[in-house]
């Protein structure tokens, strides 16, 4: 009872602290060593009014916007007074002191669409809801006059409705209840993992919110943390409850059964949880705090899920006792066969005749056929992987209920799709002698003529101090298009350097779109490093746990097959457009740059759950019998029910998040759901038993020198389990 009270009290206190001191989430990231950030710093130092983060307030009316000059000017003046605003550009023609009218702002040819460009000293999405209320108040006169007002860019992202994934969570929970009831027959046993996982996730999200008050986390962080926390929380609780119920069926006293469940399966949970956390922490290898903090966000709920499984689950199980099977819809079952250490079964010598045992025997007879079938399936699923294109998904892919999507469409209609992602050209000529600056400007203008994929490039203008030249390039295509990437690279690597060749000038391409392109380039360059690190971690962890070189190598290689298949499905659905529209995606989109990196770390960690749980039972039988084939059959027979249920639950939790309005969440939900499905079916049912059969006793081989230095990890607490079941048998 003390443990339960502590958890409930902690839940209440943390939730209260979250409401009072919790932070906000925003997609504000910095790339200190990137050329786009250096260009932004140069602008900030020499021309603050045209530096910073730009966003658009888009205006539209059936009548020309010049009919609303008073309201537009009033809105511009009010926006200029807001904190953190560096400058505001009026879209309407302006008359100077000499009576000359000039058009410097963005107004469409028919005058019905225009946008106010607002430059902030930081990303407005990080300024909170109260700041957005000030922006709403500034443009209120325009809305009162009937003008359509939408927010674009970072300001539009700040104005998006807060993600409420309650529908996804409810669907995941509903499927989990059905799976658990059908799989184990008991309403109480089905509800216990769900309750403990929910409490653990809520505690984890409260902790994450408090961390967000001090650390910047991406807007997708709480959804990602919920997704991972629910999946592993239910799985870990399920592993413990399954062991507990089997011990109860074996006539072990409830309080002893709860302790033994933690001592045995709890060890596997702890190892699996640590593996997931280590994998997520490995994201810091990317060198990008934005990515590393996504890993931290997911790891927070993994920590609370492990803590809940090891403390709250046994506390509730001990409190419920033998009543755990009181409300049964069918004959209660727990594990798929006899538990390890069951002397009665071992002495009887009676073979197991369950479905999974018979299936394993079929694999033993034709392992090469099963291996080939598994590799063929995964190979076909992975084909789209080879055409993957990483980029940032622009606002045009969002639902039309989002203001940034409506702003995107209006800008595209009035100015062309490329106007949604302008590229700011910066030439720092501080170290260029005055006598050479005119020639430099002329050479740059020539090099910027006829640039491929450019709809327009404005003439370079000097800042007030004369040290910097700036201009704007507009792509012929939308920001997420490959042509925009080609334009960015051409400007950065060819046009600007050629124009400044032979001088001391330095050139940059900056702005929001340029920063996103730099971010994608860095991610692409470091993805291979993340993969190598994660695969090596998989190898080392399995090697340390099971002390076999080949079984560890097998686990690492199969992770690559699993991730390749899930990558392929994500590319086919989102980039190729095979069913993306049915999922609520507006057209074909590239793969968000950081999604593959996140998927790899998460899938690695999650696949270790099933790997450790299955291999620990196979290894347990191998140690006892020294018969490799029988060990595989035993492992499948024992773990089939619980792993199948766990995989179905995790699949349903992840797949339910495909309903989210956030496309990145959709990608992660689909990718993780596919990976779990592939891992629990093709990998576990075809590849693992086939490879383990082919390896035979060699799977567990390790050189003597390596065996001496490896730690001895008992992931299933076999001694404790043997003692508990022997004691109960003696009493019986």
């Amino acid at each position: 009872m003390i443990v339960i009270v502590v958890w409930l009290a902690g839940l209440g206190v943390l939730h209260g602290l979250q409401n009072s001191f919790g932070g906000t989430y925003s997609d504000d990231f910095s790339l200190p060593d990137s050329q786009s950030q250096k260009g932004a710093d140069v602008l900030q130092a020499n021309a603050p009014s045209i530096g910073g983060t730009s966003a658009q307030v888009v205006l539209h009316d059936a009548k020309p916007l010049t009919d609303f000059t008073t309201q537009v000017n009033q809105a511009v003046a009010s926006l200029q007074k807001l904190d953190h605003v560096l400058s505001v550009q009026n879209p309407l023609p302006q008359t100077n002191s000499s009576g000359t009218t000039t058009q410097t702002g963005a107004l469409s040819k028919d005058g019905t669409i225009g946008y106010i460009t607002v430059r902030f000293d930081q990303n407005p999405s990080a300024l909170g809801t109260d700041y957005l209320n000030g922006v709403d108040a500034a443009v209120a006169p325009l809305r009162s006059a009937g003008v359509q007002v939408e927010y674009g860019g970072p300001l539009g992202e700040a104005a998006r409705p807060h993600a409420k994934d309650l529908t996804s969570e409810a669907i995941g929970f509903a499927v989990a209840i059905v799976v658990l009831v059908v799989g184990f027959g008991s309403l109480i046993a089905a509800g216990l993992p769900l309750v403990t996982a929910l409490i653990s996730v809520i505690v984890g999200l409260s902790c994450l919110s408090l961390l967000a008050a001090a650390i910047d986390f991406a807007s997708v962080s709480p959804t990602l943390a919920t997704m991972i926390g629910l999946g592993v929380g239910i799985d870990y609780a399920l592993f413990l409850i399954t062991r507990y119920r089997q011990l109860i069926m074996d006539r072990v006293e409830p309080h002893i059964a709860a302790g033994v469940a933690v001592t045995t399966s709890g060890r596997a949970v702890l190892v699996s949880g640590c593996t997931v956390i280590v994998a997520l922490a490995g994201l810091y290898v990317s060198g990008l705090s934005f990515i590393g903090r996504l890993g931290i966000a997911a790891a927070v709920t993994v920590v609370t899920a492990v803590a809940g499984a090891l403390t709250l689950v046994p506390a509730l199980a001990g409190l419920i006792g033998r009543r755990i099977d009181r409300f049964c819809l069918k004959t209660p079952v727990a594990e798929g066969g006899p538990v390890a250490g069951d002397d009665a079964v071992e002495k009887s010598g009676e073979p197991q005749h369950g479905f999974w045992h018979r299936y394993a025997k079929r694999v033993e007879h034709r392992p090469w056929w099963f291996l080939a079938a598994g590799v063929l399936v995964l190979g076909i699923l992975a084909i789209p992987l080879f055409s993957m294109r990483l980029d940032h998904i622009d606002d045009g892919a969002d639902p039309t209920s989002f203001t940034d999507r409506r702003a995107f469409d209006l800008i595209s209609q009035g100015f062309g799709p490329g106007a949604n992602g302008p590229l700011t050209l910066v030439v720092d000529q501080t170290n260029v002698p005055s006598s050479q600056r005119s020639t430099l400007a002329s050479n740059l203008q020539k090099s910027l003529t006829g640039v491929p994929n450019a709809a327009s490039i404005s003439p370079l203008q000097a800042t007030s101090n004369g040290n910097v030249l700036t201009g704007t390039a507009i792509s012929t295509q939308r920001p997420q298009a490959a042509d925009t990437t080609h334009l960015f690279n051409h400007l950065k690597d060819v046009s600007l350097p050629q124009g400044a060749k032979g001088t001391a000038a330095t050139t940059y391409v900056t702005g929001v779109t340029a920063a996103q392109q730099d971010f994608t380039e860095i991610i692409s360059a470091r993805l291979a490093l993340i993969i190598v690190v994660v695969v090596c971690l998989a190898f080392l962890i399995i090697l340390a746990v099971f002390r076999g070189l080949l079984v560890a190598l097998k686990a690492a290689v199969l992770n690559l097959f699993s991730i390749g298949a899930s990558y392929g499905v994500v590319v086919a659905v989102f980039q190729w457009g095979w069913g993306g529209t049915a999922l609520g995606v507006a057209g074909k989109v590239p793969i968000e740059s950081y999604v593959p990196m996140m998927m790899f770390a998460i899938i690695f960690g999650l696949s270790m759950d099933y790997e450790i749980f299955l291999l620990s039972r196979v290894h347990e039988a191998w140690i006892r019998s020294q018969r490799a084939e029988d060990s595989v059959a035993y492992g499948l027979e024992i773990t089939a029910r619980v792993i199948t249920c766990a995989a179905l639950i995790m699949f349903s939790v992840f797949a339910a998040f495909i309903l989210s309005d956030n496309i990145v969440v959709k990608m992660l939900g689909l990718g993780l759901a596919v990976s779990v499905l592939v891992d629990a079916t093709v990998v576990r049912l075809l590849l693992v038993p086939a490879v383990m059969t082919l390896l035979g006793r060699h799977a567990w081989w390790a050189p003597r020198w390596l065996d001496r230095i490896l730690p001895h990890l008992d992931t299933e607490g076999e001694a404790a389990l043997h003692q508990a079941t022997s004691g109960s048998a003696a009493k019986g």
Side-chain angles (χ1 to χ4, degrees):
M1 280 300 297
I2 295 177
V3 173
I4 298 172
V5 170
V6 169
W7 268 94
L8 294 178
L11 177 66
V13 170
L14 286 171
H15 192 65
L17 290 174
Q18 172 190 347
N19 293 334
S20 301
F21 305 105
T24 58
Y25 304 94
S26 65
D27 295 322
D28 188 18
F29 59 90
S30 60
L31 303 171
D33 297 325
S34 68
Q35 64 86 34
S36 59
Q37 185 60 50
K38 292 176 181 177
D41 294 340
V42 169
L43 273 183
Q44 184 65 30
N46 292 273
S49 63
I50 59 175
T53 302
S54 65
Q56 301 80 36
V57 177
V58 185
L59 313 177
H60 173 250
D61 196 84
K63 297 182 293 184
L65 293 177
T66 50
D67 291 356
F68 305 94
T69 300
T70 301
Q71 291 87 345
V72 172
N73 291 339
Q74 186 177 351
V76 168
S78 298
L79 288 169
Q80 185 68 70
K81 296 176 182 178
L82 294 176
D83 294 336
H84 305 289
V85 171
L86 298 174
S87 65
V88 182
Q89 187 178 47
N90 196 315
L92 302 183
Q94 301 297 302
T95 303
N96 57 27
S97 56
S98 63
T100 304
T101 300
T102 58
Q103 176 64 53
T104 58
L107 189 66
S108 63
K109 291 181 179 180
D110 62 5
T112 61
I113 300 175
Y115 59 85
I116 302 169
T117 300
V118 187
R119 295 185 180 275
F120 300 88
D121 61 9
Q122 60 178 289
N123 193 318
S125 63
L127 297 176
T129 304
D130 290 340
Y131 190 83
L132 190 63
N133 293 335
V135 177
D136 290 336
V139 300
L142 284 164
R143 286 183 168 139
S144 298
V147 177
Q148 180 184 357
V149 180
E150 306 293 350
Y151 301 144
L155 190 60
E157 293 175 3
R160 288 178 181 178
H162 293 293
K164 297 293 185 182
D165 294 309
L166 295 178
T167 301
S168 298
E169 295 164 11
I171 292 174
F173 257 67
V175 175
I177 292 173
V178 173
V179 170
L180 288 171
V181 170
V182 171
F184 296 100
S186 168
L187 291 178
I188 296 179
L192 195 54
L194 301 178
V195 170
T196 55
L198 181 60
I199 292 175
S200 299
V201 167
I202 294 175
V203 169
L205 290 175
S206 296
C207 293
L208 179 61
S209 179
L210 294 174
L211 282 176
I215 303 174
D216 292 330
F217 286 101
S219 58
V220 74
S221 297
T223 301
L224 178 63
T226 301
M227 190 188 306
I228 303 303
L230 281 179
V232 300
I234 294 174
D235 271 10
Y236 294 161
L238 179 60
F239 291 159
L240 285 165
I241 291 299
T242 301
R243 176 73 83 178
Y244 172 80
R245 293 182 69 219
Q246 187 64 52
L247 290 166
I248 291 295
M249 294 175 189
D250 293 338
R251 300 182 303 279
V252 177
E253 291 297 320
H255 67 281
I256 297 176
V260 172
V262 174
T263 306
T264 54
S265 293
R267 299 189 188 195
V269 166
L270 184 59
V271 171
S272 297
C274 290
T275 303
V276 177
I277 293 168
V278 167
L280 293 171
L283 290 172
Y284 266 104
V285 175
S286 68
L288 299 173
S289 59
F290 179 86
I291 297 297
R293 288 169 185 172
L294 282 174
I296 290 178
V300 168
T301 50
V302 175
V303 170
T304 56
V306 172
L310 297 181
T311 59
L312 186 58
V313 169
L316 289 172
L319 182 65
I320 294 171
R322 299 189 183 279
R323 292 169 294 182
I324 194 168
D325 288 324
R326 172 169 293 182
F327 302 103
C328 289
L329 302 181
K330 63 178 186 179
T331 302
V333 290
E335 296 178 334
V339 296
D342 190 336
D343 291 338
V345 174
E346 291 177 1
K347 291 178 181 178
S348 69
E350 295 181 4
Q352 302 177 51
H353 297 292
F355 168 79
W356 294 108
H357 184 272
R358 294 193 299 272
Y359 172 80
K361 289 298 182 182
R362 291 193 186 99
V363 177
E364 289 174 18
H365 289 104
R366 295 183 177 178
W368 286 108
W369 285 98
F370 282 86
L371 178 62
V375 171
L376 179 63
V377 171
L378 295 183
I380 292 173
L381 291 177
I383 289 175
L385 162 64
F386 300 100
S387 64
M388 178 187 289
R389 185 174 73 85
L390 301 181
D391 210 328
H392 179 72
I393 301 172
D394 61 36
D395 296 337
D398 286 332
T400 54
S401 59
F402 286 13
T403 183
D404 55 350
R405 166 62 189 277
R406 297 192 294 269
F408 184 98
D409 291 343
L410 288 172
I411 291 176
S412 298
Q413 177 185 338
F415 308 95
N420 285 287
L423 300 168
T424 302
L425 313 181
V426 178
V427 180
D428 186 356
Q429 56 180 1
T430 303
N431 298 322
V432 178
S434 300
S435 59
Q436 297 180 12
R437 291 187 176 184
S438 177
T439 302
L440 172 63
S442 177
N443 291 340
L444 284 167
Q445 207 58 55
K446 289 178 183 178
S447 68
L448 292 172
T449 301
V451 176
N453 303 307
S456 65
I457 299 179
S458 68
L460 298 178
Q461 302 291 330
T463 56
S464 58
N465 63 8
N467 289 333
V468 177
L469 298 175
T470 66
T472 301
I474 302 296
S475 173
T476 56
Q477 301 296 328
R478 59 194 290 183
Q480 71 179 27
D483 286 349
T484 300
T485 301
H486 298 328
L487 173 62
F488 167 77
N489 289 328
H490 195 282
L491 290 170
K492 175 174 63 75
D493 300 329
V494 181
S495 297
L496 289 176
Q498 282 184 353
K501 188 176 182 180
T503 71
T506 52
T507 61
Y508 311 95
V509 182
T510 188
V512 174
T513 302
Q516 292 165 347
Q517 292 290 339
D518 278 340
F519 183 81
T520 299
E521 285 187 4
I522 294 172
I523 289 291
S524 300
R526 297 177 184 176
L527 179 59
L529 178 61
I530 289 290
I531 291 175
V532 170
V533 169
V534 167
V535 170
C536 289
L537 282 173
F539 176 81
L540 292 175
I541 290 172
I542 295 297
L543 181 61
V545 172
F546 298 110
R547 315 174 70 79
L549 277 175
L550 294 181
V551 76
L553 181 63
K554 181 268 307 176
V557 172
L558 292 188
N559 270 339
L560 293 176
F561 279 103
S562 181
I563 192 69
S566 57
Y567 278 175
V569 173
V570 169
V571 171
V573 171
F574 292 94
Q575 187 177 312
W576 290 5
W578 291 7
T581 303
L583 299 182
V585 182
K588 301 175 183 179
V589 298
I591 306 305
E592 184 66 40
S593 56
Y594 61 85
V595 164
M597 189 176 288
M598 289 297 303
M599 282 178 57
F600 198 94
I602 294 170
I603 290 171
F604 156 71
L606 296 182
S607 66
M608 287 298 100
D609 287 350
Y610 304 139
E611 190 78 21
I612 290 172
F613 196 68
L614 171 60
L615 288 182
S616 63
R617 292 308 184 90
V618 176
H619 188 245
E620 170 187 326
W622 161 253
I623 294 298
R624 189 173 63 249
S625 68
Q626 296 294 303
R627 295 193 299 269
E629 295 82 1
D630 291 343
S631 300
V632 174
Y634 173 84
L636 277 178
E637 180 77 10
I638 292 296
T639 62
R641 184 183 302 275
V642 64
I643 291 183
T644 300
C645 287
L648 284 174
I649 291 168
M650 196 171 285
F651 171 82
S652 65
V653 169
F654 291 150
F657 279 90
I658 297 175
L659 300 176
S660 172
D661 288 332
N662 189 310
I663 297 179
V664 173
V665 174
K666 289 179 183 289
M667 281 188 180
L668 286 170
L670 178 65
L672 295 177
V674 169
S675 71
V676 169
L677 187 63
V678 166
D679 195 71
T681 55
V682 179
V683 173
R684 181 170 63 90
L685 299 183
L686 296 178
L687 298 183
V688 170
V691 172
M692 292 297 292
T693 297
L694 291 171
L695 293 177
R697 64 175 53 248
H698 302 294
W700 311 107
W701 173 84
R704 290 184 179 180
W705 63 267
L706 181 61
D707 187 69
R708 285 195 298 269
I709 64 175
L710 287 174
H712 289 266
L713 303 176
D714 184 6
T715 58
E716 281 295 314
E718 297 166 18
L721 181 61
H722 182 85
Q723 181 180 357
T725 53
S726 298
S728 61
K731 290 180 181 179

